Amino acid sequence: MKQPPSFVDSALPSHVCRLHKSLYGLKQAPWAWYTRLNDFLLSIGFRAFKVDTSLFIFSVGVDICYLLVYVDDILLTGSNSLLLQRLIQLLSSEFKLCDLGSVHYFLDIEVQSTSMGLMLRQHKYTLDILTQANMLSCKPVDTPIFTSKATILPDPLFSDATRFHQIMGALQYLIFTHPDIFFAVNRVCQFMHAPIDSHWVVVKRILRYLRGTTSYGLHITHNSSFALHGFTDADWAGIVEDRKSTGGYLVFFGQTPISWKSGKQHTIARSSTKAEYKALADGTAEVIWLQYLLTDPHIPSASAPIIWCDNLGATYLSANLVFHARMHKTC
C-alpha cells in the first residue's frame, strides 16, 4: 500500500491512511487485484493473450493449459491432469484458493458433460427470473417476439419501472446461452428510460417463451474442424420511431456458435444495401478479432473464414440501382 500523491505525511512518510472500507469495494480494487494476479501468473510461466487480457496460456512441450479469470472466479483446464494439479498448488501457495473440482456451475451457467462434448445452459437462472416476474405458471409460446409488427400505442408509463429494469437486466445476462432471445431483448432494452405498458406486454411475451424453453442451451461438440464462418442479416428501417435498422451476426467455430450480436445500427441507412453492408462489416470485424484470438494459442485455421450475407443477390441488384440513380442525377 502507498499513500496517494499529496497526502504523504512528512513526519511519517512510511505510514498510510487506515481504511474504514474494504478494499474489495473500492473503484481501484479490480485493477489492483488483476495486477497482482497477472504478475504472479507471468512469474510462474503463464502468458497473457494479447487480444483478451482475462485469458492466460501455459505450455510445456506438448502439454497446454488455459486459465480464464472473471474477477475472483477462475476456470483452469488443460491436456495434462498432473500439470493442472501442479498449477493449482502454485496458485494455492500465493492465494487463498478453493478447488471445486470439475466445473459444473460457473457464473450461473450450468455445465454438463455429454458424450458429444459440453452442454451450457441456465435452467435454474431462467426459473429464478420467471419466479421473480410471477410467471412461473404462465402458458408457453413458440416465439420470443410477436411475428407481426405490433404498433406501440401511446400507453401510460409502466407503473413499476424498477421491476421492468430488474427483469430486463436479468434477461440481458441470459443471452449468454440463449441467442434465440437476443433480438427481442435488445429491442425492448431500447425503451429502458421510459417503459410503457405496451413494452411490458413484449417482456411478458419473452418470459412466456422462456417458460417453454428452460432446458435450451448451447451444445459445444467435439469437432476436428477449426474453421470460422458467420452469418449476417439486417432489418432495414425496422425501428419505426427513428427509422434505424437492426443488424446482427452469428459466428460459428466449426459447428459451435461462439459469438452473436443483434443491435440498432448507429447510422440511418438510406437503402437496404447500406443496412446489409453495415451488418456485414460488423460481422467481419468480429471474425477478424476471433482470428487474432485463435492466433495466440496457435490453433490452425484450415481455410479462410466465410461470411454469409442474407439476400446477397438482391443486395447487388439494389447497389446497382442506387449507383445508376446517382449517375442519372449527375448527368
Side-chain angles (χ1 to χ4, degrees):
M1 297 291 294
K2 294 182 179 179
Q3 192 76 311
S6 73
F7 283 89
V8 178
D9 189 348
S10 57
L12 302 170
S14 61
H15 285 216
V16 296
C17 293
R18 180 178 179 181
L19 293 176
H20 294 283
K21 183 178 180 181
S22 172
L23 182 63
Y24 193 86
L26 298 179
K27 291 183 178 180
Q28 65 269 31
W31 177 250
W33 156 245
Y34 175 81
T35 302
R36 182 186 174 192
L37 179 62
N38 176 75
D39 293 343
F40 177 75
L41 291 176
L42 296 181
S43 67
I44 63 175
F46 274 92
R47 176 172 58 85
F49 274 54
K50 296 180 181 179
V51 296
D52 190 345
T53 55
S54 63
L55 189 59
F56 297 83
I57 184 173
F58 183 93
S59 58
V60 177
V62 296
D63 296 324
I64 189 168
C65 294
Y66 297 98
L67 187 144
L68 178 66
V69 180
Y70 185 85
V71 190
D72 55 356
D73 294 315
I74 296 176
L75 276 181
L76 182 63
T77 185
S79 59
N80 190 316
S81 58
L82 295 178
L83 180 59
L84 289 176
Q85 290 298 324
R86 176 57 181 162
L87 293 175
I88 292 175
Q89 291 176 1
L90 289 175
L91 289 170
S92 301
S93 65
E94 181 70 15
F95 306 103
K96 186 178 180 181
L97 191 67
C98 181
D99 183 9
L100 300 179
S102 299
V103 59
H104 297 288
Y105 203 76
F106 185 73
L107 302 177
D108 284 326
I109 299 177
E110 303 164 25
V111 182
Q112 180 183 0
S113 297
T114 66
S115 59
M116 298 295 294
L118 293 176
M119 174 64 77
L120 306 181
R121 71 180 86 201
Q122 294 172 279
H123 177 75
K124 181 180 180 298
Y125 185 75
T126 304
L127 295 179
D128 291 341
I129 297 176
L130 294 172
T131 302
Q132 182 182 1
N134 296 323
M135 295 189 63
L136 192 59
S137 59
C138 65
K139 183 179 179 181
V141 293
D142 296 331
T143 58
I145 199 168
F146 296 100
T147 54
S148 59
K149 290 188 177 181
T151 303
I152 302 298
L153 302 176
D155 292 342
L157 294 175
F158 185 58
S159 58
D160 193 351
T162 301
R163 183 187 181 194
F164 185 93
H165 296 159
Q166 291 174 344
I167 298 298
M168 290 309 303
L171 289 177
Q172 289 184 49
Y173 188 72
L174 188 61
I175 60 179
F176 285 125
T177 58
H178 263 279
D180 47 342
I181 66 170
F182 208 134
F183 175 81
V185 171
N186 174 266
R187 185 73 178 90
V188 182
C189 283
Q190 298 173 19
F191 306 97
M192 294 280 280
H193 60 287
I196 60 179
D197 292 340
S198 297
H199 299 147
W200 180 246
V201 173
V202 180
V203 174
K204 290 197 296 183
R205 174 82 183 195
I206 300 175
L207 296 174
R208 290 175 61 192
Y209 171 77
L210 292 174
R211 186 64 188 93
T213 59
T214 55
S215 61
Y216 282 20
L218 292 178
H219 198 189
I220 302 178
T221 59
H222 298 297
N223 193 346
S224 58
S225 174
F226 296 127
L228 284 172
H229 59 280
F231 300 86
T232 66
D233 195 4
D235 179 16
W236 178 47
I239 301 177
V240 180
E241 291 78 12
D242 53 12
R243 306 303 297 172
K244 287 188 176 181
S245 308
T246 300
Y249 59 77
L250 177 63
V251 182
F252 284 79
F253 181 58
Q255 297 179 355
T256 303
I258 59 173
S259 181
W260 50 85
K261 180 182 178 181
S262 174
K264 182 193 294 188
Q265 295 181 355
H266 297 293
T267 57
I268 298 177
R270 298 178 60 187
S271 66
S272 60
T273 303
K274 294 183 179 180
E276 293 283 356
Y277 273 107
K278 182 64 174 68
L280 187 61
D282 293 339
T284 302
E286 181 68 12
V287 169
I288 292 175
W289 181 83
L290 289 171
Q291 279 188 299
Y292 282 118
L293 181 65
L294 296 176
T295 301
D296 270 341
H298 305 291
I299 296 178
S301 179
S303 59
I306 299 177
I307 301 179
W308 305 90
C309 176
D310 176 66
N311 203 9
L312 191 58
T315 300
Y316 285 142
L317 177 60
S318 179
N320 288 333
L321 290 175
V322 173
F323 177 77
H324 288 310
R326 289 189 176 183
M327 292 297 293
H328 177 71
K329 291 179 181 178
T330 303
C331 295

